[in-house]
Structure formats: C-alpha cells, structure tokens
Amino acid sequence: MVYGVIVAGGIGSRMAADKPKQFLMLKDKPIIVHTVEKFYKHDKISKVIVLVPNDWVEYTEELMDEYFGDGNGVCQGEESASANGVSASVDGVSASANGVSASADSASASKIIVISGGETRNETIMNSINYIEEKFGISDETIIVTHDSVRPFVSYKIIDDNIQAAAEFGAVTTAIGATDTILECSDEGIIERVPDRAHMYQCQTPQTFKALRLREMYLGLSDEKKAILTDATGILMDAGDKVHVVMGDKKNIKITVPSDMKVAEVFLDD
Amino acid sequence: MVYGVIVAGGIGSRMAADKPKQFLMLKDKPIIVHTVEKFYKHDKISKVIVLVPNDWVEYTEELMDEYFGDGNGVCQGEESASANGVSASVDGVSASANGVSASADSASASKIIVISGGETRNETIMNSINYIEEKFGISDETIIVTHDSVRPFVSYKIIDDNIQAAAEFGAVTTAIGATDTILECSDEGIIERVPDRAHMYQCQTPQTFKALRLREMYLGLSDEKKAILTDATGILMDAGDKVHVVMGDKKNIKITVPSDMKVAEVFLDD
C-alpha cells in the first residue's frame, strides 16, 4: 500500500498569520486543494492523509468535502470521527481490510483523511504512520509519499518516480540540480567553500520512505538528535541508509512568500 | 572610478538560438536594456561596459542607441570606433582624462560602451579591465561591478552595497540564503551530505572586485586552473583572498529558461 502524506505545517510561529499559507486561494482553489488533488488523482496512491494543526482539522475536512466529496465523502480522522459518529472513517477502514485494491479505490471520495499533525515535521510524519498502522495495518513494504502542502505543482511523474524508487531503495527525496552556484559561508558572511555545482542539488518534496524503517530509526534517536535531524532524510542518513535522489522540476516550488503566489499563478496557466 | 561590467555571454553553445536570451523582449524592452538601465541610472557608476559576442556588438550598439542615445550617444568600443571614425569614443576618453566626476557624467549617453567579450566569462571580464586601463586609466582602487545581462531585477541598493563592500574588502559576491535544503550528492545520485542550511547561499550577481587585483591573480593561473576556476570569485579564493557576501534578493533571478520569462513579466509589474 502506498499513502500520500500531505504535511501542512506544525503549530509553530509560521502559523501566526490569520490563515496559514496552504489555505490561501490560488486562482479557483486553495493551495492545499491543488496539492491534495495531485495525490487524490494518482492511481498508485491508496489514501491521502492530510495532516494539519489541530485547530484546522475541521476547517480542512470541510474544504476537502467541498472540493472532493459528495457531501459526506471525505473520511475523517479518528478523533473527529468518534466525536461525530460519522461512518465514512469506518468505511475507509473496512474497504482497506477487505483488500480493495488501490486503483479500484482511487476514485472514491473517502480516499482523503484529515488528521492532526505533531509539534514538528517528523512528529507529524510519525502521526501518519501510527494512523496507517492502526486503521489499515502496516508492513515492511508500506510506503509513505510525504509532501509539502504548499507545493501544488508536483507532477504525476514525480510522484510515480518516488514510489518506484522507494520500493527499490527504501528512501528517496525529490531534488533538482542546483540552478545557481552554491556557496558555503562562515557566520561572518565570508565564502568558505564553493562546492562543485555538478554535485549540488536543491531539495524539494515528495520525500518517500518505507514507513516502518523510518519510524524505527526515528524512535531510536536521542531527543538531542531528534532536534537536529529535522528532515526525515537526515534520520535515515544518520542510520547509515542510502537516500536516493529523484528528479524534481523547477516548477515544483514551495509557496512561502507573496511573490511566490504570483509565480504560482503564472505556472497554473502553463 | 567604478565601472559596471555587463557580461552578456561568451560565444558558446548557449548562443545556438536565433537570438541570445539577453536580446529577447521583456514587455517593452529587451532584457539587456532593462539590465543596463539599472547601471546607467546608478549615480556611483561612471561607465557601463557591455560585453557581447563579437557578432552582436553592432546590434547591441544600435539597441543602446535606441533606448539610451540621442542618435549618437552610445560610446562605441575601440574597434568599431576606429573603423567608423565615430568621435563618441574619443569624447568618452577625454571626459575621463579631464577628471569629470562620475555623478556629473552619470546622465550622459556616452556612459554606455559596447565591446566584444572573450571566449570565457573570465576572459570577458579581462577584456573589460584591459579596455578600462587603455581608455580611462586604472588604479588599485578601480572597481568593476560585474553583472549577468540576464538578471534585470538587480536593485539600486544591491549595486550600492556591492560598491561599498568591494571598496572595503576588495572582493564581493551577491547571494541569498538558500531557500531550499541543499544536498551534496554522489555521481550515482545518492545523498552524501546535507550541509547546515544556515551556512548555504545561492550565488547571484553582481560580483564586484578591485580590477587590478583580479587581473593579477587571473594572469598568474595555469591554463589548467583557468579552466577550473570559471567563476571570478574562485580566482581570488584560490589566491587566499577573502570574498564577502552581499545580500541579494529572491527576485534578482537569472533568466535562462522560458518559464523564467513568465516569472520575469510578473516581477516587472510588481
């Protein structure tokens, strides 16, 4: 089973704005809806788990319902489901338990599940793994395709390449060859090293992992290391695993500042 | 004296298109005209030397005349000047010889000079230094602000900061803090190192130097080293000089692929 894991921010300071970036409208739809759609429509993705700060779970569920549901289509995470007694969540579980195949399932509205993220990016990813284990069962071959909610221009092919490479190698990140010369500088702003650009990449997402291996390595870390290894690839590299690079796309931008929104509007028309 | 040095490509394969990128229209003006304008209007820049492939010198002169000249305003480089007997070039020299100050001169049309570039970026920069020495004289304090012709969004402040920092430190490059996590990968596409992002920068231009020091270090290099140190900052670092970083701007993009043109049109409206 392959799961899309859409990481939509922790509960950190970046959320100080009246509405987190992922909920801003990009032409006809909120950014996060554009992003989720890429995974929703992908025939190799069984479920799309969307992780948002706790205060935004209900809002996000309503958004998903509005854009993907038929009124009650979007499957809710455990807390909300038990609180509301909505049966969609139970349906989602039983469909998976009955061995309904990913492709047969790909058009169903209950493909999208909204749950709370954790305090950090890695804790958020752990939440998704724990949820998968509890609701659908998990094996060594279970793959999670983790992706920033504010990168709406990920392509079918990039997701596909991620899944294939993760099945073969276990851990994968998307990246593009550095477009600029990269400089390594001192704290004083003096260049210390100009590494060979041919070996330098700019990291994007998705980052795709065998879920159990990632969790095992994460849980084995000291609190100190957890604080340092903020990127999931770092956890596996620290364990000595090889993390492979899958080619991304210059257009697969992360929307973080207002000018990115303008660029995104241009890309949307492409 | 401070010179703008606009580097508009060697005579390499990138020029295979029917027209090099710098001559493409960006809304109302060719890209290179937008770029030159930033230096032309800057009150601390004495002259703007535009270096283009030999076959494009005449074309570029006509462009500069069209946008900045009053019919005969743009000063031509030595070859064209001597071939045509145009007196503008001679005027340019005598104005400098007479000690006309940079600011008094800044509005004059003969502020722009078009000459041939070299086979490589560094050879092109050397052409500008040799030209300055021959026509205007040169000293240890002569500064060249070298800039890509396809980065039209450089700001007054970035140029200003470059000039100030180069006067103090001798060698400066413009850069921005890396927006993405940077990965260092093997030839096989496996991550080897994830350097601390706080120390990683993406290089832009201008790169600003004390001209004589740069030329001295370049001429002292072996042919082998010349082939490796394709970026002028590398020449000075190789010599043990400290190269300082001046803060650039995310908008100071290099236009290299068609989608960049679309982004540039958005930035132009900002």
Side-chain angles (χ1 to χ4, degrees):
Chain A
M1 294 281 276
V2 179
Y3 297 85
V5 171
I6 310 300
V7 181
I11 319 173
S13 54
R14 288 182 302 170
M15 298 300 150
D18 94 293
K19 204 184 257 188
K21 281 262 165 24
Q22 61 267 29
F23 298 119
L24 299 182
M25 290 300 282
L26 175 57
K27 293 239 163 137
D28 57 328
K29 287 178 282 209
I31 295 172
I32 193 170
V33 173
H34 286 282
T35 307
V36 168
E37 194 173 31
K38 298 290 171 63
F39 289 80
Y40 178 73
K41 286 186 173 171
H42 201 291
D43 54 2
K44 291 186 190 146
I45 299 283
S46 311
K47 300 278 177 192
V48 187
I49 303 173
V50 183
L51 297 108
V52 295
N54 195 44
D55 289 349
W56 290 90
V57 169
E58 209 177 313
Y59 178 86
T60 308
E61 278 169 350
E62 284 167 14
L63 263 190
M64 295 300 141
D65 242 4
E66 185 182 341
Y67 289 94
F68 301 101
D70 51 1
N72 62 353
V74 175
C75 187
Q76 296 172 307
E78 53 189 327
E79 283 174 344
S80 331
S82 59
N84 304 346
V86 173
S87 64
S89 169
V90 178
D91 288 350
V93 176
S94 58
S96 163
N98 293 344
V100 174
S101 80
S103 56
D105 196 44
S106 69
S108 118
S110 66
K111 187 169 173 174
I112 301 168
I113 300 150
V114 181
I115 63 174
S116 292
E119 297 244 332
T120 64
R121 187 181 181 89
N122 284 329
E123 289 291 342
T124 296
I125 293 172
M126 292 308 133
N127 282 11
S128 77
I129 298 173
N130 296 340
Y131 183 85
I132 290 165
E133 182 175 44
E134 192 182 329
K135 297 294 178 185
F136 308 112
I138 202 162
S139 82
D140 286 346
E141 300 309 310
T142 301
I143 285 173
I144 54 169
V145 185
T146 71
H147 188 66
D148 296 328
S149 66
V150 288
R151 287 195 195 262
F153 298 110
V154 60
S155 67
Y156 181 94
K157 187 179 185 309
I158 291 174
I159 296 172
D160 219 47
D161 290 349
N162 265 265
I163 295 169
Q164 280 193 38
E168 187 176 350
F169 302 118
V172 169
T173 189
T174 307
I176 54 170
T179 51
D180 301 314
T181 299
I182 301 296
L183 309 173
E184 202 163 343
C185 297
S186 69
D187 289 331
E188 292 74 35
I190 295 166
I191 304 178
E192 293 197 318
R193 186 169 161 256
V194 185
D196 178 8
R197 184 149 73 101
H199 291 138
M200 304 309 286
Y201 290 79
Q202 292 169 227
C203 197
Q204 302 182 335
T205 68
Q207 297 187 321
T208 303
F209 309 100
K210 289 191 174 166
L212 280 180
R213 174 74 184 165
L214 179 66
R215 187 172 67 181
E216 188 190 342
M217 293 304 104
Y218 180 74
L219 294 178
L221 293 176
S222 65
D223 286 348
E224 208 181 338
K225 280 228 167 169
K226 279 180 185 168
I228 297 169
L229 302 172
T230 53
D231 184 284
T233 56
I235 298 166
L236 291 164
M237 287 181 63
D238 187 70
D241 288 11
K242 285 181 180 170
V243 179
H244 286 249
V245 169
V246 163
M247 277 309 118
D249 185 339
K250 202 171 174 182
K251 276 176 66 176
N252 181 24
I253 58 166
K254 188 172 185 174
I255 300 175
T256 52
V257 295
S259 68
D260 294 333
M261 276 298 270
K262 295 195 174 181
V263 173
E265 279 168 19
V266 170
F267 286 169
L268 207 62
D269 290 334
D270 253 12
Chain B
M1 294 279 275
V2 179
Y3 297 86
V5 171
I6 309 301
V7 180
I11 319 172
S13 54
R14 289 182 303 170
M15 297 300 151
D18 92 293
K19 203 184 256 186
K21 281 262 164 23
Q22 61 266 31
F23 298 119
L24 299 181
M25 290 299 282
L26 175 56
K27 294 239 162 133
D28 57 328
K29 288 178 280 207
I31 295 172
I32 194 171
V33 173
H34 286 281
T35 308
V36 167
E37 195 173 29
K38 298 291 170 62
F39 289 81
Y40 178 73
K41 288 184 172 171
H42 201 292
D43 53 2
K44 292 187 189 144
I45 298 283
S46 311
K47 299 278 176 191
V48 187
I49 303 175
V50 184
L51 297 109
V52 296
N54 196 41
D55 289 350
W56 291 89
V57 169
E58 210 177 313
Y59 178 87
T60 308
E61 280 170 348
E62 285 166 11
L63 264 191
M64 296 300 141
D65 241 5
E66 185 183 340
Y67 288 93
F68 302 100
D70 51 2
N72 63 353
V74 175
C75 186
Q76 295 171 308
E78 54 187 326
E79 281 175 345
S80 332
S82 59
N84 304 346
V86 174
S87 64
S89 170
V90 179
D91 288 351
V93 177
S94 58
S96 163
N98 293 345
V100 174
S101 80
S103 57
D105 196 42
S106 70
S108 115
S110 64
K111 188 170 173 174
I112 301 168
I113 301 150
V114 182
I115 63 173
S116 292
E119 296 244 332
T120 65
R121 188 182 180 88
N122 284 331
E123 288 290 342
T124 295
I125 292 172
M126 292 308 132
N127 282 11
S128 76
I129 298 173
N130 295 340
Y131 183 86
I132 291 166
E133 181 174 45
E134 192 181 329
K135 297 293 177 184
F136 308 112
I138 202 162
S139 83
D140 284 347
E141 300 308 312
T142 300
I143 285 173
I144 54 170
V145 186
T146 72
H147 188 66
D148 296 328
S149 65
V150 289
R151 288 195 194 262
F153 299 111
V154 61
S155 67
Y156 182 93
K157 184 177 187 313
I158 291 174
I159 296 173
D160 218 47
D161 290 349
N162 264 267
I163 295 169
Q164 281 194 37
E168 186 175 351
F169 302 117
V172 169
T173 189
T174 307
I176 54 170
T179 52
D180 300 314
T181 298
I182 300 297
L183 309 173
E184 199 162 347
C185 296
S186 70
D187 288 331
E188 292 73 34
I190 295 167
I191 304 177
E192 294 197 319
R193 187 169 161 255
V194 185
D196 178 9
R197 186 148 72 99
H199 291 137
M200 305 308 287
Y201 290 79
Q202 292 169 227
C203 195
Q204 301 181 335
T205 68
Q207 297 187 321
T208 302
F209 308 100
K210 290 193 173 164
L212 280 180
R213 174 74 184 164
L214 180 66
R215 186 172 68 180
E216 186 189 345
M217 293 304 105
Y218 180 74
L219 295 179
L221 293 177
S222 65
D223 286 348
E224 209 180 338
K225 281 230 168 167
K226 279 180 184 169
I228 297 168
L229 302 172
T230 52
D231 185 284
T233 56
I235 297 166
L236 292 164
M237 287 180 64
D238 187 71
D241 288 11
K242 284 181 181 171
V243 179
H244 286 250
V245 168
V246 163
M247 277 308 118
D249 185 338
K250 203 172 172 182
K251 276 176 67 176
N252 182 23
I253 59 166
K254 188 172 183 174
I255 300 175
T256 52
V257 296
S259 68
D260 295 334
M261 276 298 269
K262 295 194 173 183
V263 173
E265 279 168 19
V266 170
F267 286 168
L268 208 60
D269 291 334
D270 252 12

